[in-house]
Amino acid sequence: YLHDRLLMAEFLNHHQIEAGERNRARVLAWQTDYPWGTQQECAKALGLSSMAVNRHVKAIREEWRLTEAGVGA
């Protein structure tokens, strides 16, 4: 029983990570197409919450900052 629950939790976690990565790519693509759009407009267009879009934008900005600083290059 515990083993099955752990496998299910692992599956769900992996699924959530993949969904998050897809949504981050969607947010980035939307912002590329609409550079003056707001996060609220992005959320509405993509069917995501404003909080989720805000989280993705912060992560995208951090990735850019690290890339520009030469971290991980």
Side-chain angles (χ1 to χ4, degrees):
Y1 177 76
L2 180 58
H3 178 66
D4 291 341
R5 288 181 55 109
L6 290 173
L7 287 176
M8 181 58 78
E10 185 178 328
F11 170 79
L12 292 174
N13 187 42
H14 180 72
H15 178 72
Q16 289 172 329
I17 290 169
E18 285 183 341
E21 289 171 352
R22 282 192 306 272
N23 285 337
R24 183 164 299 152
R26 292 173 61 216
V27 168
L28 178 58
W30 190 91
Q31 290 197 320
T32 300
D33 291 342
Y34 305 97
W36 287 278
T38 66
Q39 289 183 21
Q40 198 167 21
E41 291 168 333
C42 179
K44 185 175 181 180
L46 299 179
L48 300 172
S49 70
S50 294
M51 186 180 294
V53 170
N54 183 45
R55 197 170 48 246
H56 289 305
V57 168
K58 284 182 178 182
I60 291 165
R61 287 179 178 161
E62 181 64 12
E63 288 171 8
W64 287 343
R65 187 187 71 74
L66 293 174
T67 300
E68 288 182 2
V71 176

